[in-house]
Amino acid sequence: MSIRIYHNPRCSKSRQTLQLLQERGIEPEIIKYLETPPSEDELRRILDMLGLRPRDLMRKREPEYKASGADDPSLSDDELIALMVKYPKLIERPIVVHDGKAALGRPPEQILEIL
């Protein structure tokens, strides 16, 4: 049973989600995505599992959102994914992936649906 969490230790929701997993005896593979961003292909798979479009997984209040040009409504999904890989702060967190499914830990309890 392999469980992966795309984690930012500075984010309270990410810490709460990790704690929720650990309280259930689950030690997930922790990916500090700001240090090791997902590849474009990996991000596409995550988006498919979440059933989201790229813009739906973006942190629109991050300064990088406007600075990177991600706020341009004419950008394609491919262009948005490329920006998310280049500027991983744009990726909403935490994301938990398990057994071909993914969930966003907002709120943290939402991840229980895929366990």
Side-chain angles (χ1 to χ4, degrees):
M1 181 167 83
S2 173
I3 296 179
R4 176 181 291 179
I5 182 171
Y6 291 85
H7 180 59
N8 178 351
R10 296 186 62 181
C11 170
S12 64
K13 295 292 183 203
S14 199
R15 290 192 309 270
Q16 291 168 9
T17 301
L18 179 58
Q19 181 180 353
L20 188 64
L21 290 168
Q22 292 170 333
E23 286 171 354
R24 285 164 172 69
I26 298 167
E27 284 301 326
E29 175 186 356
I30 298 172
I31 298 172
K32 294 181 181 174
Y33 72 95
L34 294 178
E35 298 169 14
T36 310
S39 68
E40 288 187 23
D41 286 342
E42 190 175 358
L43 193 51
R44 284 179 211 290
R45 284 192 296 276
I46 291 168
L47 286 162
D48 283 345
M49 287 185 271
L50 289 169
L52 296 176
R53 303 277 308 269
R55 197 170 299 279
D56 299 330
L57 191 62
M58 295 182 103
R59 297 180 58 82
K60 296 171 185 71
R61 293 188 180 150
E62 290 292 333
E64 288 84 354
Y65 184 72
K66 189 169 185 176
S68 69
D71 61 339
D72 180 346
S74 71
L75 292 179
S76 69
D77 285 356
D78 289 342
E79 290 168 318
L80 291 172
I81 288 170
L83 285 172
M84 293 166 83
V85 170
K86 185 174 183 179
Y87 303 100
K89 271 190 168 186
L90 293 175
I91 302 171
E92 187 62 87
R93 73 228 174 205
I95 301 167
V96 175
V97 176
H98 170 63
D99 199 24
K101 299 175 186 170
L104 192 57
R106 291 188 170 269
E109 295 77 20
Q110 192 163 297
I111 62 129
L112 298 175
E113 297 172 10
I114 67 165
L115 299 182

